[in-house]
Amino acid sequence: MPRRKTAAPFTSKIGARIRALRVERNLSLAQLADAGGLSKGHLSSVEHGLAAITVETLERIARALEALPMDLVTFPEEDDRGRIADIVRRLPKKELPKLRREMLARAPAEAQAPTRRRTSARA
C-alpha cells in the first residue's frame, strides 16, 4: 500500500494502538515486523499512520502480537466498551468462560441467544 505524506486520523489511532501493544509486549519494531512478515519500514509507516493497510496486514500484526484483530481497532481511552475489551484482553484465557457466563447472566435475554445468519440461495 502506498505511503501517505500526512497521517489520517483513524489510521493514526490504529498505528498508535499497534505501537502501544508492541511496547506492552517489550517487542522492538524489528521483532514485530519479523514476526508479522512485514518490513521494518512498512511497520514504522503503519505505526505513524502513514500507510494504508489491508485487513490481511492487520491480521498478521495481531497474530504477531498474540492478540485479536479487534484489539488493534479497540481504543480503551475512548469509551467503556473499549476499556472493557482491553481488560478482557489482559485476562488469562482460562478466566474467559467464567467471565462470559457472568456477563450473559447480566445481559438482557435477547442478547443471550446466539445470533445465526440465514443464508439463502436467491437468484
Side-chain angles (χ1 to χ4, degrees), residues 68 70-71 84-104:
L68 297 173
M70 76 169 211
D71 295 326
I84 291 167
D86 201 50
I87 293 166
V88 170
R89 177 185 64 79
R90 295 172 191 213
L91 289 175
K93 289 188 189 294
K94 67 181 181 177
E95 297 289 327
L96 297 179
K98 178 182 175 187
L99 177 61
R100 180 180 44 80
R101 286 190 302 274
E102 290 172 6
M103 291 175 69
L104 281 172

Side-chain angles (χ1 to χ4, degrees), residues 25-78:
R25 286 166 174 73
N26 295 314
L27 293 172
S28 70
L29 194 67
Q31 289 170 319
L32 181 57
D34 287 344
L38 305 167
S39 74
K40 185 176 158 186
H42 181 60
L43 182 57
S44 177
S45 292
V46 168
E47 286 191 358
H48 287 93
L50 298 173
I53 61 173
T54 64
V55 173
E56 180 182 340
T57 300
L58 195 71
E59 193 267 335
R60 289 165 67 183
I61 293 169
R63 193 173 337 117
L65 288 167
E66 298 179 357
L68 297 173
M70 76 169 211
D71 295 326
L72 307 184
V73 295
T74 302
F75 310 108
E77 66 280 356
E78 288 188 0

